[in-house]
């Protein structure tokens, strides 16, 4: 078994774990976004979606999956970051510069993925407290400003219509998109995937998916604030 | 364009490996634009020697951009502002008069400064010694066409073999990772039939040695490719990782560093 531990604690192994868990989290976000978009429906679609989600098996799968993927993703990445920081040595460069000719956004995204992720940690903590841990009280109408039991839609809108919460969720959503802009394609690199025909598709597709996820989630607080 | 320019240099001076380093300023007036960057430094060193001061230590050998000896960071760019070139092939005509240039050595824990702009790259030798060779004695050089290699494979292998081991990839990487260097050395063998028998043991040993030497991990910022004087592609990193993961998780060799690798 020691070979297994050695493999997954090596730099490449840690990156592999970070990549697998990262893509798992992306998959979760896609489902999360599709569900949340029911908010825009004028009917009770959002409330029905929330009710069936929380009374089904899917929520247990998501909870357990996230409880495994999140700590593993963060742990591996922070552990790598510590090694990476040490590798530069005590004396850093006086002047920072680049020789890259890729577009500036791609370069900046690749260098700020870690820092964006660390900020996201706070956002996720607040978000989980807000809408997951207090789900029961929101669902029975004692928290969050819902009109009555089961009226999660009104509760979400009431929360997001407060400017500070709305702004926080908008910023958190944009940051998620920025984090994934580099993260999705980098995950594939961590698996050692390279192909002259498919790699450009992964890079462009990853960027597009990150943009959809980022703007998709941002659209909700913005919509509520502008309503 | 005038034939001479004036530049201000801010150079990292460090008398020895253990000594405290600091930046020192030098004014170079009337530098010929035809001079190479190292020739400009030669001029500065003459001046320093004539003044009874210590000249600036920097590595160089062929000055033709092919040996891999030279290299330092100019204004945050490894080997200076030009792409696909070493610092010895950088010329002063590239700069405007009055330019301020900050010269720093490669910064990496695995590349300790020996003196001034000179670093110790023994760590690269250690990675190479861990598996960057064929462990079988094959006797004298065979006829050129005794082992047939396809045109594409030969071309790809040559692209990877173009690595001169200068260390610019490590210097440019925000993690001081040696991924591009190591992957190029691994990939060069992996493309050729002669490299197949030891392919997975080689990548396992070289990657593990890279980590043991204190280099960082790859964050895929692609700075290394941009800094590489030989334009070695980051695709080698993907290929190297794929081989490493195969070696560790699938193949029955390459799991331990003590697996009887010849040599």
């Amino acid at each position: 078994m020691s070979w297994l531990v050695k493999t997954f604690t090596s730099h490449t192994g840690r990156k592999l774990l970070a990549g697998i868990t990262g893509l798992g989290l992306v998959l979760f976000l896609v489902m999360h976004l599709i569900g949340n978009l029911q908010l825009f429906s004028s009917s009770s679609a959002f409330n029905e979606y929330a009710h069936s989600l929380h009374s089904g098996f899917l929520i247990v799968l998501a909870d357990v999956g996230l409880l495994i993927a999140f700590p593993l993703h963060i742990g591996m990445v922070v552990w790598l970051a510590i090694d990476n920081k040490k590798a530069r040595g005590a004396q850093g460069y006086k002047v920072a510069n680049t020789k890259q000719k890729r577009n500036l956004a791609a370069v900046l995204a690749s260098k700020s993925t870690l820092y964006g992720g660390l900020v996201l940690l706070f956002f996720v903590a607040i978000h989980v407290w807000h809408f997951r841990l207090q789900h029961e009280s929101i669902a029975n109408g004692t928290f969050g400003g819902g009109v009555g039991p089961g009226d999660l839609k009104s509760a979400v809108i009431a929360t997001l219509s407060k400017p500070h919460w709305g702004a926080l969720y908008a910023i958190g959503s944009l940051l998620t998109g920025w984090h994934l802009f580099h993260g999705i394609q980098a995950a594939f690199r961590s698996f050692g995937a390279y192909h002259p025909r498919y790699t450009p598709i992964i890079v462009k597709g990853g960027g597009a998916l990150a943009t959809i996820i980022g703007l998709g989630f941002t659209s909700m607080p913005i919509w509520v604030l502008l309503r | 364009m005038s034939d001479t320019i004036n530049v201000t240099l801010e150079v990292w001076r460090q008398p020895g490996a253990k000594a405290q380093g600091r930046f020192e300023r030098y004014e170079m007036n009337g530098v010929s634009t035809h001079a190479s960057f190292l020739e400009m430094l030669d001029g500065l060193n003459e001046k320093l020697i004539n003044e009874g001061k210590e000249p600036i230590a920097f590595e160089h050998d062929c000055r033709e951009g092919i040996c891999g000896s030279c290299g330092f960071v100019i204004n945050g760019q490894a080997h200076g502002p030009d792409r696909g070139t070493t610092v010895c092939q950088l010329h002063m005509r590239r700069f405007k008069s009055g330019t301020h240039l900050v010269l720093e050595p490669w910064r990496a824990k695995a590349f300790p400064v020996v003196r001034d702009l000179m670093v110790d790259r023994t760590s690269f030798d250690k990675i190479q010694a861990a598996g960057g060779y064929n462990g079988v004695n094959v006797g004298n050089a065979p006829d050129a066409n005794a082992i047939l290699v396809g045109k594409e494979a030969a071309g790809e292998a040559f692209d990877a073999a173009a690595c001169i081991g200068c260390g610019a990839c490590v210097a440019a990487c925000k993690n001081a990772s040696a991924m591009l260097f190591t992957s190029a050395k691994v990939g060069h063998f992996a493309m050729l039939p002669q490299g197949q028998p030891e392919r997975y043991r080689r990548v396992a040993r070289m990657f593990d040695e890279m980590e043991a030497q204190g280099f960082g991990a790859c964050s895929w910022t692609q700075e290394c490719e941009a800094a590489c004087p030989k334009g070695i592609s980051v695709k080698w990193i993907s290929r190297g990782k794929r081989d490493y993961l195969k070696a560790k998780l699938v193949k029955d060799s390459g799991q331990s560093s003590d697996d009887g690798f010849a040599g």
Side-chain angles (χ1 to χ4, degrees):
Chain A
M1 283 298 279
S2 79
W3 65 270
L4 203 61
V5 175
K6 267 188 200 160
T7 300
F8 283 105
T9 52
S10 73
H11 283 169
T12 306
R14 277 183 248 167
K15 274 292 288 215
L16 178 69
L17 285 179
I20 293 170
T21 50
L23 285 187
L25 292 168
V26 170
L27 203 66
F28 166 77
L29 280 179
V30 171
M31 313 264 277
H32 189 0
L33 179 62
I34 293 170
N36 279 20
L37 286 175
Q38 312 303 317
L39 197 66
F40 292 125
S41 164
S42 56
S43 69
S44 57
F46 185 81
N47 287 341
E48 281 160 24
Y49 152 72
H51 178 74
S52 60
L53 174 70
H54 282 270
S55 53
F57 172 67
L58 215 56
I59 192 76
V60 182
L61 188 74
D63 279 348
V64 173
L66 291 176
L67 275 174
I68 295 169
F70 250 113
L72 209 54
H73 186 73
I74 296 159
M76 290 299 139
V77 167
V78 169
W79 189 9
L80 280 166
I82 292 168
D83 281 8
N84 292 344
K85 196 87 195 143
K86 278 190 205 150
R88 176 59 74 219
Q91 183 74 41
Y93 288 111
K94 182 176 181 179
V95 185
N97 206 339
T98 180
K99 287 176 93 165
Q100 291 206 58
K101 284 182 175 164
R102 288 193 303 154
N103 71 67
L104 192 66
V107 176
L108 285 180
S110 72
K111 294 187 181 177
S112 61
T113 309
L114 170 74
Y115 306 107
L118 292 176
V119 178
L120 274 181
L121 203 53
F122 290 100
F123 171 68
V124 169
I126 293 169
H127 176 51
V128 167
W129 169 79
H130 227 160
F131 286 123
R132 180 69 193 97
L133 297 182
Q134 315 222 57
H135 174 77
E136 298 306 317
S137 8
I138 299 173
N140 60 36
T142 55
F143 177 83
V147 183
D151 188 12
L152 286 113
K153 184 175 177 177
S154 306
V156 168
I157 290 174
T159 305
L160 292 182
S161 61
K162 292 185 180 100
H164 60 283
W165 286 128
L168 180 86
Y169 275 91
I171 293 166
S173 305
L174 286 175
L175 206 58
T176 306
W178 182 248
H179 185 69
L180 300 186
F181 195 73
H182 174 72
I184 295 175
Q185 62 144 312
F188 283 92
R189 310 288 189 164
S190 298
F191 306 152
Y194 168 79
H195 192 283
R197 264 176 283 159
Y198 297 109
T199 297
I201 296 175
I202 290 170
V203 172
K204 289 207 177 78
L209 184 59
T211 309
I212 291 168
I213 290 174
L215 294 182
F217 280 112
T218 312
S219 69
M220 283 161 238
I222 299 291
W223 173 71
V224 169
L225 287 174
L226 293 181
R227 238 156 62 95
Chain B
M1 196 172 107
S2 95
D3 274 331
T4 60
I5 56 168
N6 305 329
V7 291
T8 306
L9 300 174
E10 206 178 325
V11 186
W12 180 259
R13 300 305 306 266
Q14 186 175 333
K18 294 264 154 58
Q20 189 77 31
R22 66 194 159 87
F23 284 99
E24 256 181 60
R25 282 171 77 98
Y26 304 97
E27 303 290 339
M28 283 297 282
N29 297 326
V31 178
S32 166
T33 52
H34 304 297
S36 74
F37 202 89
L38 298 190
E39 282 166 345
M40 182 273 297
L41 284 183
D42 290 339
L44 172 59
N45 276 346
E46 294 247 354
K47 217 171 87 174
L48 289 173
I49 291 166
N50 287 338
E51 289 167 4
K53 294 176 185 159
E54 275 294 324
I56 300 162
F58 60 89
E59 264 192 281
H60 61 99
D61 189 12
C62 74
R63 298 210 180 190
E64 291 177 335
I66 54 167
C67 76
S69 297
C70 71
F72 44 81
V73 174
I74 303 172
N75 285 354
Q77 293 174 310
H79 289 301
D82 284 342
R83 280 169 68 110
T85 184
T86 52
V87 74
C88 64
Q89 286 294 299
L90 175 69
H91 288 77
M92 295 311 291
R93 55 179 169 267
R94 184 68 171 74
F95 302 101
K96 288 197 181 86
S97 196
T99 308
H100 184 104
L101 300 170
V102 179
L103 274 51
E104 300 174 79
W106 295 161
R107 298 287 189 197
K109 199 181 95 194
F111 285 167
V113 172
V114 177
R115 191 180 181 124
D116 300 337
L117 302 177
M118 217 174 147
V119 297
D120 182 355
R121 287 171 290 188
T122 305
S123 50
F124 266 15
D125 297 340
K126 293 262 174 67
I127 294 173
Q128 194 68 2
Y133 52 85
N134 262 338
V136 189
N137 188 349
V138 291
N140 290 329
D143 281 346
N145 294 325
I147 300 172
L148 296 176
V149 180
K151 172 74 182 73
E152 284 84 4
E156 290 271 291
F158 187 79
D159 285 349
C163 170
I164 52 176
C166 66
C169 46
V170 174
C173 176
K174 77 176 178 70
N175 304 337
S177 172
M179 262 311 212
L180 192 66
F181 166 79
T182 311
S183 297
K185 295 301 177 199
V186 162
H188 152 213
F189 283 97
M191 293 308 297
L192 296 171
Q194 295 94 327
Q196 297 313 310
E198 292 157 320
R199 178 173 178 172
Y200 295 100
R201 280 176 289 178
R202 176 180 299 113
V203 66
R205 289 176 54 123
M206 289 178 78
F207 269 44
D208 288 344
E209 184 63 31
M210 163 172 64
E211 211 177 308
Q213 288 296 322
F215 291 104
C218 177
S219 283
W220 205 258
T221 65
Q222 303 181 42
E223 283 293 337
C224 52
E225 180 183 296
C228 178
K230 298 297 154 188
I232 291 170
S233 163
V234 286
K235 75 181 176 194
W236 294 104
I237 296 179
S238 297
R239 288 176 172 172
K241 280 191 173 216
R242 195 192 310 168
D243 272 9
Y244 180 82
L245 291 170
K246 265 194 208 168
K248 292 280 175 172
L249 296 170
V250 184
K251 301 286 169 181
D252 55 5
S253 61
Q255 286 165 14
S256 84
S257 53
D258 184 32
D259 56 9
F261 194 43

